[in-house]
């Protein structure tokens, strides 16, 4: 296992897998292209890549929190790390999306929604929950969780406390879906808000925190690699079962079972990497996953005529699907790499400079007089 203070390769593997899965999913469903029947379960479950992102997010916050709170300004260190990771690219994409929808789609947004999008409160309004930037509903979930995370991390010191809170929140989600969601008269809007609201995904984050505690415990033990493979197989089996029952109506949300499956897989990979999941490709895409996630809907929308041209060709459905996925990945990869180099990295450097200067100013203010 990787020691504290280093990058955790298995988390990077998970980030890479998650973003690739989401991109494949949207390549099929945004332009609504056909796909071979044997790929049905795999492709239709691609949206669950977001669940994997949420599990990794909570896990990595637990992992990095001691570093922030060893800093002389711990709250600022934590806030700067989160804000300068998210804001530069997000605030670049926001006006670009508003312009694109105005020019290409003859759409405008009222100032209330724009302000809610700027200040990350749009998740709390059922009509605005998807945000303005495509696929940014996840950021509407993540940002409030970042705010709440310290209030979970410090009081919940044991894995059992986290498990108890997770169970309570799962029942809260059930109650919310049973008694609050029906108050929304628009059935489509109600269904969308039921899936995208922060409370729905709160147990997923708690599962990520629980997975971190399990990882920390296993680090202290001498665990055979075969046990890691067994744990990964258990995780994959649970993921496959939830994929097969994706639309089942149960009190326990399938998204939460999926999160348990992904968390189990991550723990297995932390012990015994599997080359199919742990490789240079997944780690490359982990590096650019945020840019890839925000840019890929824009690219897929732009490539819609190309998809139609490919599907008009006299070739097999497998080749059509493969060509569309290959085209999407090739262009999104280039765009995301440029975005990472020119927007994300400068933004993160700016955050470090800001934190250093603010910390230095505080040291100057509090320096003893000679």
């Amino acid at each position: 296992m990787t020691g504290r203070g280093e990058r955790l390769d298995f988390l990077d593997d998970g980030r890479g897998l998650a973003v690739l899965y989401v991109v494949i999913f949207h390549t099929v469903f945004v332009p609504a292209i056909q796909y071979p029947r044997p790929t049905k379960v795999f492709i239709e479950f691609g949206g669950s890549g977001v669940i994997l992102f949420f599990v990794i997010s909570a896990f990595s916050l637990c992992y990095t929190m001691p570093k922030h709170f060893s800093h002389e300004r711990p709250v600022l260190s934590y806030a700067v790390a989160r804000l300068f990771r998210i804001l530069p690219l997000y605030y670049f994409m926001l006006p670009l999306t508003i312009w694109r929808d105005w020019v290409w789609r003859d759409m405008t947004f009222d100032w209330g929604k724009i302000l809610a999008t700027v200040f990350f409160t749009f998740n709390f309004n059922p009509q605005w929950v998807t945000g303005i930037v495509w696929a940014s509903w996840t950021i509407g979930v993540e940002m409030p969780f970042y705010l709440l995370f310290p209030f979970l991390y410090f009081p919940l010191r044991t894995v059992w406390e986290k498990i108890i809170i997770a169970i309570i929140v799962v029942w809260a989600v059930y109650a919310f879906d049973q008694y609050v969601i029906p108050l929304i008269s628009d059935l489509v809007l109600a269904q969308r808000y039921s899936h995208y609201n922060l409370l729905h995904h709160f147990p997923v984050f708690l599962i990520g925190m629980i997975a971190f505690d399990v990882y920390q415990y296993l680090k202290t033990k001498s665990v055979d690699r075969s046990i890691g493979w067994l744990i990964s197989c258990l995780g994959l089996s649970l993921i496959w079962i939830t994929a097969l029952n994706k639309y089942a109506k149960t009190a326990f949300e399938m998204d939460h079972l999926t999160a348990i499956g992904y968390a189990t897989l991550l723990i297995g990979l932390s012990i015994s990497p599997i080359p199919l999941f742990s490789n240079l490709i997944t780690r490359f895409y982990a590096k650019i996953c945020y840019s890839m996630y925000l840019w890929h809907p824009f690219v897929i929308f732009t490539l819609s005529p190309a998809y139609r041209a490919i599907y008009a060709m006299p070739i097999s459905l497998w080749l059509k699907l493969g060509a569309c996925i290959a085209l999407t990945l090739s262009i999104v990869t280039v765009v995301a790499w440029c975005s990472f180099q020119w927007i994300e990295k400068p933004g993160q450097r700016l955050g470090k400079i800001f934190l250093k200067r603010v910390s230095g100013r505080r040291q100057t203010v509090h320096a003893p007089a000679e």
Side-chain angles (χ1 to χ4, degrees):
M1 293 185 179
T2 310
R4 177 63 70 95
E6 303 173 0
R7 286 194 69 85
L8 299 178
D9 288 339
F10 65 93
L11 290 189
D12 281 342
D13 296 331
R15 291 184 184 100
L17 290 169
V19 76
L20 288 171
Y21 204 8
V22 169
V23 171
I24 291 171
F25 173 74
H26 284 148
T27 298
V28 172
F29 285 101
V30 170
I33 61 178
Q34 291 182 308
Y35 48 92
R37 185 172 180 80
T39 67
K40 176 180 172 64
V41 174
F42 173 78
I43 288 178
E44 291 187 358
F45 201 59
S48 72
V50 169
I51 303 299
L52 178 53
F53 271 129
F54 288 161
V55 171
I56 292 172
S57 177
F59 191 114
S60 62
L61 287 178
C62 291
Y63 181 72
T64 58
M65 187 60 90
K67 180 189 71 174
H68 294 303
F69 277 79
S70 65
H71 193 275
E72 59 183 303
R73 302 196 68 174
V75 175
L76 185 64
S77 174
Y78 172 75
V80 166
R82 303 273 52 85
L83 292 175
F84 283 84
R85 174 76 176 93
I86 299 297
L87 297 190
L89 179 57
Y90 179 76
Y91 284 156
F92 178 87
M93 295 296 295
L94 180 57
L96 180 64
T97 304
I98 293 172
W99 171 83
R100 179 206 61 198
D101 287 349
W102 176 54
V103 173
W104 290 0
R105 306 176 70 203
D106 196 27
M107 289 177 55
T108 58
F109 301 97
D110 64 72
W111 281 105
K113 184 172 184 178
I114 292 173
L115 289 174
T117 304
V118 168
F119 293 106
F120 304 103
T121 59
F122 59 93
N123 184 266
F124 303 106
N125 185 324
Q127 294 182 328
W128 300 342
V129 69
T130 54
I132 292 176
V133 178
W134 282 358
S136 66
W137 72 267
T138 57
I139 298 176
V141 171
E142 284 271 12
M143 293 300 280
F145 177 72
Y146 289 158
L147 181 64
L148 295 172
F149 175 74
F151 300 99
L152 297 170
Y153 178 79
F154 290 106
L156 304 179
R157 301 309 298 171
T158 70
V159 68
W160 298 111
E161 290 172 337
K162 296 181 180 74
I163 290 172
I164 291 170
I165 296 300
I167 293 171
I168 292 172
V169 176
V170 164
W171 281 108
V173 172
Y174 177 72
F176 188 81
D177 284 346
Q178 291 295 311
Y179 301 110
V180 178
I181 292 297
L183 299 177
I184 303 174
S185 58
D186 187 322
L187 294 181
V188 174
L189 189 62
Q191 184 178 22
R192 181 186 304 153
Y193 195 63
S194 173
H195 179 71
Y196 288 153
N197 73 82
L198 172 63
L199 180 62
H200 176 87
H201 294 284
F202 218 84
V204 176
F205 291 114
L206 286 164
I207 289 166
M209 296 176 70
I210 293 166
F212 175 77
D213 284 351
V214 174
Y215 164 78
Q216 287 289 88
Y217 172 77
L218 292 176
K219 270 179 50 174
T220 65
K221 307 296 179 181
S222 179
V223 183
D224 189 80
R225 289 176 64 85
S226 61
I227 300 299
W229 295 327
L230 176 61
I231 293 172
S232 294
C233 287
L234 288 173
L236 287 170
S237 298
L238 183 54
I239 293 166
W240 183 247
I241 290 170
T242 54
L244 291 173
N245 296 276
K246 182 174 184 284
Y247 301 108
K249 300 295 183 182
T250 63
F252 198 83
E253 286 287 344
M254 283 297 161
D255 281 350
H256 305 154
L257 289 173
T258 302
I260 295 173
Y262 278 130
T264 305
L265 175 61
L266 288 173
I267 292 168
L269 293 177
S270 75
I271 301 169
S272 306
I274 299 174
L276 179 63
F277 303 138
S278 307
N279 51 65
L280 294 177
I281 295 175
T282 55
R283 288 170 195 172
F284 167 77
Y285 281 107
K287 184 179 295 185
I288 62 172
C289 66
Y290 180 47
S291 282
M292 195 155 178
Y293 180 78
L294 281 191
W295 276 106
H296 84 273
F298 196 104
V299 172
I300 290 172
F301 174 79
T302 306
L303 288 176
S304 293
Y307 300 142
R308 289 194 292 270
I310 290 171
Y311 267 72
M313 294 180 179
I315 56 178
S316 73
L317 189 58
W318 284 93
L319 289 177
K320 292 174 182 177
L321 176 63
C324 288
I325 292 173
L327 176 64
T328 304
L329 286 177
S330 61
I331 295 179
V332 173
T333 299
V334 173
V335 172
W337 176 255
C338 293
S339 173
F340 174 71
Q341 294 293 336
W342 298 340
I343 302 175
E344 284 194 69
K345 286 177 71 174
Q348 292 176 39
R349 283 196 298 268
L350 184 62
K352 292 177 181 178
I353 293 170
F354 173 79
L355 181 61
K356 186 175 180 180
R357 288 185 177 177
V358 171
S359 300
R361 187 179 303 124
R362 185 181 185 187
Q363 286 179 346
T364 302
V365 169
H366 292 283
E370 295 183 0

